[in-house]
Amino acid sequence: MNATFVLLDLRRITRNWSAMFFTAVLPTFFYVIFGATVDAKGADIGNGNVAMYVMITMAAYGAVLAATSVSANAAVERVQGWGRQLGLTPLADSAYIAGKALVAMTVAAVPVALTYALGVATGARGSASAWALSALLALVGSSVFAVYGLLVGTAFQSEASAGAASGSIVVFAFLGNLFVPLSGGLLAFAKFTPLYGYAALARYPLTEGWLTDGSRDPLWLPITNVVVWTLVFGALATYFVRRGRERQ
């Protein structure tokens, strides 16, 4: 991995203030509205309170949005000729991919850190294990959507694909029980959508699987959801990458 390449790429991304606002600042803004200022924020839920539940949810959303955006842009760079330029340098493909993965995870860590810091300052409460494990799961789990961003970027091969990938995350968030508590048939459908398993797994150290409608998800359910969607995204991304090479 080339440290200079990683640092330059991080500097380039963080200079884009509008993108950083939506990936880093916006999730904390959502937490303030839906978690830190609501009357029920101190109500008990699992191993913590409602404020912590919303905090984890918004941190996970921000991490996914950041990872998707960075990886989608990286895929577009490759298919639009940046890959050929890099081919003239000593930087290997494996080093490029590892560098982009590190950049994606670093950017994804920003909304997690900001939202958790704000949670500490505004009354989010939970057990020490819930704090540590939920943050770790939110960050590591977002790597699934780095693969998703790569998939969309290589499939559509245009600058608009990065925006489409990020925009689709908003739809997945609504369908995945992140923004509005679902119930009945909608909740049953949500359990098959990409963001449901990831968000449920991030919240598991707090909720232990209990949902707002009184039902409970066994641990295998969010794990299975994450594994299946990782395989689906990975297989499709591999297909589109190979198809792109054949066209070149």
Side-chain angles (χ1 to χ4, degrees):
M1 187 185 303
N2 188 299
T4 301
F5 171 74
V6 171
L7 291 174
L8 287 174
D9 207 37
L10 274 173
R11 184 181 301 174
R12 177 182 62 84
I13 291 172
T14 53
R15 281 178 175 173
N16 187 340
W17 291 106
S18 61
M20 287 303 296
F21 173 81
F22 283 103
T23 58
V25 180
L26 191 60
T28 63
F29 178 69
F30 285 160
Y31 165 69
V32 171
I33 294 177
F34 300 114
T37 59
V38 297
D39 293 336
K41 72 174 186 177
D44 291 338
I45 179 170
N47 297 314
N49 61 6
V50 170
M52 185 171 184
Y53 179 94
V54 178
M55 179 195 73
I56 296 171
T57 300
M58 292 302 106
Y61 171 70
V64 164
L65 197 60
T68 300
S69 176
V70 171
S71 60
N73 279 310
V76 173
E77 289 173 1
R78 294 283 289 182
V79 299
Q80 290 187 340
W82 183 232
R84 295 190 186 95
Q85 294 294 324
L86 291 176
L88 301 176
T89 73
L91 186 67
D93 282 347
S94 58
Y96 173 82
I97 294 172
K100 283 293 185 180
L102 180 58
V103 170
M105 295 305 292
T106 302
V107 176
V110 174
V112 175
L114 286 177
T115 308
Y116 272 61
L118 191 59
V120 171
T122 55
R125 175 176 49 81
S127 64
S129 60
W131 280 91
L133 289 175
S134 63
L136 179 63
L137 289 168
L139 182 57
V140 174
S142 66
S143 60
V144 176
F145 291 87
V147 180
Y148 171 71
L150 176 64
L151 159 63
V152 177
T154 53
F156 296 99
Q157 302 185 5
S158 70
E159 293 182 0
S161 62
S166 299
S168 64
I169 294 300
V170 179
V171 178
F172 287 155
F174 277 104
L175 293 177
N177 203 33
L178 269 74
F179 291 154
V180 180
L182 304 177
S183 61
L186 281 176
L187 179 60
F189 172 75
K191 296 182 181 183
F192 294 95
T193 60
L195 258 177
Y196 183 89
Y198 161 71
L201 196 59
R203 293 189 297 239
Y204 212 92
L206 173 70
T207 65
E208 297 181 350
W210 290 103
L211 304 175
T212 54
D213 67 348
S215 62
R216 186 183 187 188
D217 285 338
L219 183 57
W220 62 263
L221 192 151
I223 292 176
T224 302
N225 178 286
V226 170
V227 170
V228 169
W229 280 109
T230 300
L231 294 174
V232 170
F233 291 155
L236 289 174
T238 300
Y239 166 75
F240 284 114
V241 167
R242 289 176 177 173
R243 190 183 71 170
R245 286 177 180 171
E246 291 172 358
R247 287 180 176 179
Q248 293 175 356

